[in-house]
Amino acid sequence: MKNMIRLLILLLPFFYTECYSQSTGNRTVSVTLPVVTLLDVEPTGNISMSFTAPADAGRPIISPTINTTKWINYTSAIVSGGVSRHVTASVNQTIPGVNIRLQAAAASGTGGGALGTPSAQVTLGTTPITIISGIGGAFTGNGANNGHRISIALVTSNYANLSAITAVPVTITYTISE
């Protein structure tokens, strides 16, 4: 009997035990966000714009229809406290007597963040001119119908400087920078 009581005393803690337990821990997670500045023009490929001769003597040449087929796409991640970015445009050469005018539209499509604000219509020259400003951490979405639609117009500026030309290649360069 004594052995039985001893056995019960030894086994009793296994039948009735209140256990309280709490465990906490922490880990450091290292996060890296790279500074990103990317820009492209979609869809790829060249555009062709041609003036049309008038049907009647004494009338001016007819400017080509405004081209609205190109879109500027960009991705921007700036440093903390960094300044905003802007997009400039310039041409490699001008055409005597012709102005190349460009207008960026407000951003549309699937992008988000601090998208830039377009400037008023500009006349392009060989010196870069801002066409979109105030870009922060943002992305425009990729491809046509995302980002800023570009309108390009050719307008005669000085008839005295006009000369007949054939297919003068003018390259428009877009640059995103701080």
Side-chain angles (χ1 to χ4, degrees), residues 10-32:
L10 286 173
L11 293 176
L12 189 59
F14 293 108
F15 294 113
Y16 180 77
T17 303
E18 260 186 69
C19 293
Y20 295 97
S21 174
Q22 182 176 3
S23 176
T24 61
N26 60 45
R27 296 291 180 259
T28 301
V29 177
S30 178
V31 178
T32 302

Side-chain angles (χ1 to χ4, degrees), residues 145-169:
N145 302 313
N146 288 297
H148 299 267
R149 175 175 263 173
I150 300 298
S151 297
I152 301 169
L154 300 180
V155 180
T156 55
S157 61
N158 184 344
Y159 259 81
N161 292 337
L162 288 179
S163 297
I165 53 175
T166 17
V168 173

